[in-house]
Structure formats: structure tokens, C-alpha cells
Amino acid sequence: MRIRPIASIIVLSCIPVAMPSLCGSPAGIERRIDALLARMTLQEKLGQLSQSTAGYARSDAQLRNDVRAGRWGSVMNVRDAQQRAELQRIALHESRLGIPLIFARDVIHGYRTVFPIPLGQSASWDPELVRKASHIAARETAAEGIHWTFAPMLDIARDPRWGRIAESLGEDPVLASALGAAMVRGLQGDSLDASDAVAACAKHYAGYGAAEGGRDYNTTWIPETLLRDVYLPSFAAAEKAGVATFMTAFNDLNGVPASGNAFLLRQVLRKEWGFDGVVVSDWNAVEEMVNHGYAADSADAAVKSLRAGVDMEMASTDYYDDLPALIAAGKFDVKLVDESVRNILRFKFRLGLFDKPIPAPPPASAMLAPDALDIAQQLATESAVLLRNEGNLLPLSKSIAKVAVIGPLSDSRVDQMGCWVSDGRPGDVHTPLAAIREMLGPDRVAYAPALKNSRDSSQAGFAPALEAARNADVVLLFIGEEQSLSGEARSRASLDLPGAQGQLVEEIAKGGKPVVLIVLAGRPLTFSKAAADARAVLYAWHPGTMGGPAIASLLFGNAVPSGKLTVSFPRTVGQVPIYYNHMNTGRPARGASAHISEKVAPEGDTSRYIDIDYGPEYPFGYGLSYTTFQYSNLKLSSASVAKGGALTVSAHVTNSGRWPADEVVQLYTRQLSASLTRPVRELKGFQRVMLKPGETKTVQFKLSAAILAFHNERGELVSEPGMFQVWVAPDSARGVRGEFRVVD
Ligand code: BGC
């Protein structure tokens, strides 16, 4: 073993008690970076800009040699804590400059404790609970010696065909901003170098969710006004919350790949938002600029990407392979390399990696702790959205004589975890079947999967399921999408229930027993016929480790549904893209808007379909409860507000039913005329309110004129005077309405 030279120990080590200002302070860190940069060779610098993945065409021995040579700044997907500790020991003690590695991993919705998929989490509309879940994910991840996760995904998703909608926080920028910032705070905790924190990564910057046709990686065209109003706010919010890193997206945006996009990276991110962290490319995205037709070859890709501001190249190795010759030939300025090395070293100092001891493998108790499982169950409970409950079939009585649990997703541990689960283990998962058996006792539960998985098109397993249904008082039918149908590269052109699930619902319904559909899926599905065949529908997403107990507690009334949709559910895929914050058009469909010029008759040729209703099956913000809520008495603190001012909007919300329950109260506005057309509704605030039966609460929102601002044609954020409508509402299609004016 080679021992690190004494000189580098002096440069790199820090004795905080003796020299506090020289060590952790921003100036102290910059000085330590200066000292390192002065000693680094070009190869060592380019090594810092490179991220590798363990096990990917690289043997363990090769990886150890690479690390010893300072070949990588970061390594992802290292097998286990022991291997990470060994690699870090080599980096710190056997590489020439002793620069530590950053270990990265995709921890998207939990490490060992798997929380609902992000789209499910978003349906909770509960930033504090989401923060807590992310913090538990960070605690489990950090215990394993991992420093950096590639989450949250902040791409606005208006297209359920896109498989990565599962990883998104929905279609609305205000909600995604609040939840994304909560995730950043949860992951990063109070300080990046804390033992229960990991660095977060705002991805995929930017526009990735607008892939044409919903096909993953596809081209995006987003005018700057829309980009700034809808697609960028969630990233800006993450930056404000202190996110340590950003990841560029795979897509080209208005003709320029995101990984070579100086407008996004230098102009908006660095200059306008003041970001001083690290930008990493997505996997191979630097090299893929050749495929985009934006770079002639890998050298051109390296130049364009680094010039645009991508500090670290993930997976492809264009920086390392091609920049030395260009720099030697005077065709590339090494200053840009230094700038990115500085960003990466700063990140390592902030993570405390230079001064942290190499962690010991974590005790087993670090995983799946009781509080982790509690939060996982709570979040799965709050995420589930009750879409239908005819005749108040739900909740079911616990003294029910017999239930039939049917369907391919009633006892599928893997599918319940959802996409992007690298470290969750099926053995940890509590399924609905197990939870219902536990609640009722096994004798009162008949079980028949009917289909092998959600894609199974054979009806061979129907007979025992029909038999179980016949002998039961209620059928609990678990259908939807298995885990592998959503996530990266899992776009679908059809949103229908896969396989023979539609027929299964139909056949079961024919038996006449009340049917509850519990849908587990990574995206909105189109299933009107199946929903109509059922008396109740609970949309549970992929709910994670504790999904089973959460669903059972909702079905049997130990908990009351409170989730609300964060994406519009289409009736058919032909309506896509469909989103609530659309423009009015000059010929809005009847009922689409209360704002129609009196001089233009609303009848006749309007923006609708001739074969189906123009509206969604279930609108954004929608979700039922076991109780009912009434909205009334909307009040504004004044009829007008000056541009710099604010007003208060309040309304009464009454629990008019029999269950104590939470309601997610939503605030929407609409500007009726402006220099650019404005959406028919925009979410401006929300609150989760708990109400006892019969209770009325006055729910108040502060509405500042600044929140009403939008980006004009020149890309400037402006607050324009004019008339506004405002709603305090249970969803994006209803609510109590008022009006006010913004004045100069
Ligand atoms: C995905 C990223 C992910 C990365 C590393 C890419 O294919 O787009 O979201 O973080 O791989 O696994």
C-alpha cells in the first residue's frame, strides 16, 4: 500500500478547532481547492469530471486501479458498503492527491424502505410528509456510505404515455415546486456532511417531460414563456431549497440538446439563479449529442458540453478521452476544465468527504426502522385517491363475512414497489392480500390471482376467481400495471388496462357482487368501462413497502382517503396531452369556461371532440373522501390589489359527512385578459385541512400579486393589471368563485 505523501496531507486535512476559518468556511474551502488545483495534472482534473459505474464493463480490479490513478471523480452503483469503503480507502490513501470519491446511486423513492412512486407521493399534497420520507431515504442511503442520489425528478409531465410520469410530481408547477423542494430538504437535511444526509440532484434539466408523442428521450419544443412558466419553476424551487446538483436531460430542447444547452445551464441556472453546485450529464448524454446531430464526433460533444456548463460526464468518457489533444492544440481553454473541477471539489468539501472517516458497514437496524415503516404507510395512505364510491360501498365493515381478493396485483411484492427500485427487497414488502388476511383472519378471505401478471391475456385462471367472487360478499379486485410497464423507456401508446384485466373485471361484475377496484399503476390509465362495472375505485399507484397495510386500512375504514390527483386522467389516449391549466381558445367547448364574449355565441363549432366529451375522466385535484365537504362563503380582503401588494382569500369548508377527515383545499386563479393568453386556471396554493364531522373551518390564503406574474414574450417576469377570477376549490373543475382586479 502506498501512503499518501505528507505534502498532500497538509493541503487536504483540516484541523477545524485550530483553523476554523480556513477549513469549512466558503473562503477556506476555495483556498483548499486552489491548493489542490495547483497540483493536479490535466489527467487528474479530467478524472474529477468523470463519473463511472461499477460493474459496467469494468472489473473490480480495474476499478481499484482506476481509482488509485485518480481516473474517476465519482462512481455509481458500487455493489456494497464494504466495496465502497475499500474504494474510498484507495482514493484517500493510495491516489496521488488523496481526493475522495463521491458514491452515487439512484434512490428515487426510498432505499430499503420503499415509499410510493413519486407520482403517488405527489397525490398526498403533503410536503411535510414527503420531506420526512425523503429524509428516511437519505438516512438509509447515507448509512451505506452513499453520498449522492439522483432525485428528485422535477420534470412536469402532461403526458401519461410517457413512462417516467411515474417518477414525476405531476402536471402542475406550483405543486411540483413545493414537493420537489420538500424532497431536497428531506434528502439533504440540515447539512450535506451530516451522517443522515445525501446530496440531491434536480433532474432532468430541462423539458424532458414534454417528449413528443410521450415517447421517452424524444425531442421537445417548448417556447420560452411556457418553459419559464411551467417547466422551470420546479427546478428554480429546488435551487432555492439548496439542491447540491443538477442533471441535464436527454432531450433536445428547441433544437439544442439539454447537455449542450448554454442557455439552460449558463444563462438560467448559473447566471439568473446563481447556482454554484455541480451539473452532471445524464447517462451517456454527452456522447449522445452525436446522435442528436448536434456534435460531429465525441471530441465535438465534449467541447460543446463542457462549454455549455456540464461539469461531470456520466458514463461516456468524451471529456477524458478527447479534451487533452484539443487543449494541447490550443483549441480548448483549460480554464473551463478548472472551473468544473472547482465545482466538483467544492461539492466534495461540502459533503465533508475530505475530513470524514471511512464509514463502517451499517448495522441492520439502520434499515426499515419502525419510524420508516410508519411514514411509508402514512404516505401510501395519503397517496391513494378514491375515484368512485357508489352508494358509499367503502369503507367495508370489518365484520363482513367473506371477501374475495382477486387480481394479479393483490400479492405481487415486486410490482407493488414500482419502477426505479435498486435496493428495496421484495421480501420486505407487505402486500394487500397479506394485510387483508391479517385484518380479517385467513378464513374470511378467498384469494385467486386470475392472471399471472397484468399483461397476461389468458383467461385460464378466471374460473377459480369467479368461484371465489360468487362465494364472497364483496370482491376486492387488484388490477393495473405491473412495475415494468412504467419508468424509463417504458412509454406506452395505449393507456388501457393491459392483458385480459378488462375482461376479468367484466366477468366478475356479471356475477353481481359489489366490486371494488384497487388500481396499482405507474401512470393514469384509461379504464372507464372497468370503473363503471365497479362500485368503488381506489387508485393506489405503486405504493411501496407498506402499500398493503395502507390499502387495507383504507378499505376497512381505519383510515379515510384524502389523496387528490396531480395529473388529469384522460378518457382515452386520443385526448393526450390533456392538462387542467390549458388556454381557453377562441372557441372553448361549452362548459369549459365561464368566460365567453357575449358577442360570440357559445354554441356551434367549438374546441371539442365529436366522439367523446372534451374534458378529462377525472380532473386534476380530484379525489373523494368517505365524508363530504361543502365549500361556501368565499371572501376577498379587497376587490383590488396593487401590483406590489397582496390580498387574502378565504372560504368556509365544512365537513358535512360522518367521518373526521383531511381535505386538500386548493386555490386557483385566472387572469381574464393579458398581453399573452393565460390558462383557464392555475393552482396558486393548497392546504391540507383536518375537519371533524359537522365542523366548519375558514381556510385562508394569502395571494400576492407577485404570485400572479407570468413571463411575457420577452421572457420577463411581469405582473400585468387586469381582472382575475379566483376559486377556493376541492379540485380544478369546481369551487367557490370570486373576482378581483390587479391595478397598476
Ligand atoms: C436516467 C437518470 C438516472 C441515470 C443514472 C439515466 O438513464 O435518465 O434518471 O439517474 O440513468 O442511473
Side-chain angles (χ1 to χ4, degrees), residues 316-525:
S316 60
T317 55
D318 298 350
Y319 286 10
Y320 195 85
D321 297 341
D322 295 303
L323 290 177
L326 292 169
I327 291 169
K331 290 186 182 150
F332 192 82
D333 192 345
V334 75
K335 267 199 207 142
L336 282 178
V337 173
D338 287 355
E339 210 178 275
S340 288
V341 173
R342 180 176 290 281
N343 291 339
I344 288 160
L345 293 179
R346 190 187 299 119
F347 180 32
K348 293 187 176 187
F349 278 109
R350 286 178 179 167
L351 284 164
L353 297 180
F354 285 93
D355 309 311
K356 237 182 211 170
I358 294 165
S365 61
M367 305 297 150
L368 302 160
D371 65 329
L373 297 179
D374 275 0
I375 298 285
Q377 179 165 343
Q378 219 176 309
L379 194 45
T381 306
E382 287 194 12
S383 297
V385 184
L386 183 65
L387 296 177
R388 178 176 164 84
N389 194 17
E390 203 191 296
N392 290 330
L393 175 65
L394 294 179
L396 301 169
S397 158
K398 274 180 231 139
S399 48
I400 193 165
K402 187 118 198 170
V403 300
V405 172
I406 294 175
L409 296 172
S410 48
D411 194 35
S412 176
R413 291 158 181 261
V414 169
D415 295 320
Q416 189 174 318
M417 290 196 290
C419 62
W420 275 115
V421 170
S422 315
D423 301 281
R425 299 186 190 164
D428 300 335
V429 170
H430 299 259
T431 67
L433 176 65
I436 293 165
R437 277 182 173 152
E438 195 173 311
M439 190 171 279
L440 301 184
D443 296 346
R444 289 196 282 147
V445 183
Y447 168 59
L451 296 162
K452 288 199 190 80
N453 54 47
S454 71
R455 281 171 302 126
D456 187 356
S457 56
S458 157
Q459 301 191 7
F462 277 22
L466 293 170
E467 171 71 14
R470 247 192 310 278
N471 297 325
D473 299 296
V474 163
V475 180
L476 303 175
L477 190 40
F478 290 81
I479 55 166
E481 270 186 339
E482 63 208 71
Q483 169 264 346
S484 63
L485 296 184
S486 58
E488 185 173 355
R490 299 291 193 275
S491 295
R492 290 184 64 201
S494 162
L495 299 174
D496 292 346
L497 287 167
Q501 296 183 103
Q503 290 94 309
L504 176 64
V505 180
E506 199 174 327
E507 291 305 315
I508 299 271
K510 274 187 201 156
K513 292 292 166 67
V515 175
V516 181
L517 288 188
I518 301 96
V519 185
L520 276 72
R523 55 159 62 77
L525 293 171

Side-chain angles (χ1 to χ4, degrees), residues 76 106 150 164 203-204 247 250 282-283 314 420 488:
M76 58 195 282
D106 286 289
F150 303 127
R164 300 198 86 167
K203 76 184 187 185
H204 306 86
M247 183 189 291
F250 283 125
D282 203 344
W283 183 281
M314 183 193 289
W420 275 115
E488 185 173 355

Side-chain angles (χ1 to χ4, degrees), residues 374-717:
D374 275 0
I375 298 285
Q377 179 165 343
Q378 219 176 309
L379 194 45
T381 306
E382 287 194 12
S383 297
V385 184
L386 183 65
L387 296 177
R388 178 176 164 84
N389 194 17
E390 203 191 296
N392 290 330
L393 175 65
L394 294 179
L396 301 169
S397 158
K398 274 180 231 139
S399 48
I400 193 165
K402 187 118 198 170
V403 300
V405 172
I406 294 175
L409 296 172
S410 48
D411 194 35
S412 176
R413 291 158 181 261
V414 169
D415 295 320
Q416 189 174 318
M417 290 196 290
C419 62
W420 275 115
V421 170
S422 315
D423 301 281
R425 299 186 190 164
D428 300 335
V429 170
H430 299 259
T431 67
L433 176 65
I436 293 165
R437 277 182 173 152
E438 195 173 311
M439 190 171 279
L440 301 184
D443 296 346
R444 289 196 282 147
V445 183
Y447 168 59
L451 296 162
K452 288 199 190 80
N453 54 47
S454 71
R455 281 171 302 126
D456 187 356
S457 56
S458 157
Q459 301 191 7
F462 277 22
L466 293 170
E467 171 71 14
R470 247 192 310 278
N471 297 325
D473 299 296
V474 163
V475 180
L476 303 175
L477 190 40
F478 290 81
I479 55 166
E481 270 186 339
E482 63 208 71
Q483 169 264 346
S484 63
L485 296 184
S486 58
E488 185 173 355
R490 299 291 193 275
S491 295
R492 290 184 64 201
S494 162
L495 299 174
D496 292 346
L497 287 167
Q501 296 183 103
Q503 290 94 309
L504 176 64
V505 180
E506 199 174 327
E507 291 305 315
I508 299 271
K510 274 187 201 156
K513 292 292 166 67
V515 175
V516 181
L517 288 188
I518 301 96
V519 185
L520 276 72
R523 55 159 62 77
L525 293 171
T526 47
F527 61 109
S528 333
K529 167 80 176 64
D533 281 344
R535 290 257 311 268
V537 179
L538 184 70
Y539 216 86
W541 316 102
H542 289 139
T545 308
M546 294 302 285
I551 290 170
S553 71
L554 287 165
L555 294 176
F556 290 93
N558 286 354
V560 178
S562 60
K564 301 238 184 179
L565 298 179
T566 59
V567 279
S568 306
F569 271 44
R571 293 164 196 272
T572 166
V573 71
Q575 291 177 300
V576 173
I578 181 167
Y579 46 92
Y580 86 95
N581 47 354
H582 59 83
M583 302 304 178
N584 195 38
T585 81
R587 293 184 170 194
R590 285 187 76 183
S593 155
H595 184 59
I596 297 172
S597 163
E598 281 166 18
K599 293 187 185 161
V600 180
E603 316 252 3
D605 297 341
T606 60
S607 181
R608 62 192 173 113
Y609 297 101
I610 55 171
D611 50 354
I612 56 155
D613 191 292
Y614 70 91
E617 181 79 43
Y618 304 106
F620 174 87
Y622 175 81
L624 300 171
S625 169
Y626 294 155
T627 196
T628 45
F629 297 102
Q630 305 300 328
Y631 285 64
S632 62
N633 212 13
L634 182 115
K635 277 200 185 124
L636 301 172
S637 57
S638 67
S640 67
V641 56
K643 267 184 183 177
L647 50 77
T648 305
V649 185
S650 66
H652 288 174
V653 182
T654 303
N655 182 342
S656 48
R658 288 184 297 116
W659 291 81
D662 280 7
E663 167 73 336
V664 176
V665 181
Q666 301 156 42
L667 176 75
Y668 294 93
T669 63
R670 171 179 186 179
Q671 184 161 15
L672 291 175
S673 74
S675 65
L676 291 175
T677 59
R678 305 299 306 136
V680 295
R681 276 203 193 195
E682 290 178 286
L683 183 75
K684 297 295 176 187
F686 59 92
Q687 287 176 42
R688 202 172 234 280
V689 183
M690 161 46 201
L691 291 160
K692 296 196 275 289
E695 190 184 5
T696 295
K697 275 188 181 161
T698 304
V699 180
Q700 270 197 3
F701 294 93
K702 191 172 164 207
L703 189 57
S704 70
I707 300 178
L708 304 170
F710 62 94
H711 289 88
N712 69 11
E713 268 179 309
R714 289 183 297 282
E716 300 153 347
L717 187 64

